[in-house]
Amino acid sequence: MNPFEEVYLKMYFYENRLKTFEGWPFNEDCTCTPENMAKAGFIHIPSENSPDTAMCFFCLKELEGWEPDDDPLKEHKSHSSSCHFIALKKKVEELTVEELLTLQKEKHKLMLKKTGNEAIAKFEEAAKLKGANIVKTAMGEE
């Protein structure tokens, strides 16, 4: 996982995030339009069971179950108040190289934390199953 890969860097730009909202279920007469979602840092990552899942490209916070009147920026701030992207005081195009590198360092930390937490959860689930199998074997149930 390289945070400097183009796929990660291009999502800093509004136009690229907006392109991900093809098929987004909320359009005109809604607060959570594709434009507002992209402005708030979200990308659209639909699944078969959840067509309205959006994730902040930066902090990786996923939200689903959107209502037409939900304000994407307010929702983002309430669910991920420490996101460095929504805390930016200037446009991405105005960032210095140093500021961008600092942001990328924070993004990389978040990516590593998410990957680590997912690996730990998988390990813990496998350990539970293995433990249950050991108990069954010891009890002569297999």
Side-chain angles (χ1 to χ4, degrees):
M1 168 181 5
N2 179 352
F4 293 104
E5 285 181 31
E6 184 179 341
V7 68
Y8 297 116
L9 293 174
K10 73 179 190 173
M11 289 304 157
Y12 273 97
F13 300 98
Y14 165 81
E15 295 80 15
N16 293 325
R17 293 190 306 274
L18 183 60
K19 288 177 190 173
T20 69
F21 282 91
E22 208 170 287
W24 181 247
F26 303 100
N27 290 302
E28 295 94 35
D29 300 325
C30 295
T31 307
C32 59
T33 62
E35 293 79 12
N36 288 339
M37 295 294 289
K39 284 177 189 171
F42 289 109
I43 57 175
H44 186 207
I45 56 164
S47 68
E48 194 174 303
N49 297 331
S50 189
D52 71 340
T53 302
M55 177 181 76
C56 172
F57 86 96
F58 190 88
C59 70
L60 310 176
K61 182 66 176 177
E62 292 181 26
L63 298 175
E64 61 183 335
W66 291 88
E67 299 291 333
D69 293 334
D70 286 342
D71 181 321
L73 189 57
K74 285 181 183 175
E75 292 297 323
H76 194 170
K77 286 179 180 178
S78 73
H79 291 278
S80 188
S81 60
S82 62
C83 178
H84 291 269
F85 182 76
I86 58 172
L88 283 177
K89 301 290 185 233
K90 55 182 160 178
K91 294 180 180 180
V92 169
E93 294 83 2
E94 298 169 354
L95 295 174
T96 65
V97 172
E98 182 179 359
E99 290 168 329
L100 183 61
L101 288 173
T102 300
L103 267 179
Q104 276 302 95
K105 179 181 80 175
E106 294 303 319
K107 179 167 178 51
H108 195 71
K109 283 187 206 175
L110 291 167
M111 291 169 74
L112 289 170
K113 184 177 180 180
K114 182 176 182 173
T115 303
N117 288 340
E118 288 170 354
I120 288 168
K122 284 181 184 177
F123 176 83
E124 288 174 344
E125 185 61 34
K128 276 185 196 174
L129 292 172
K130 192 64 152 174
N133 287 337
I134 289 169
V135 169
K136 282 182 183 178
T137 302
M139 302 293 280
E141 294 178 15
E142 274 194 18

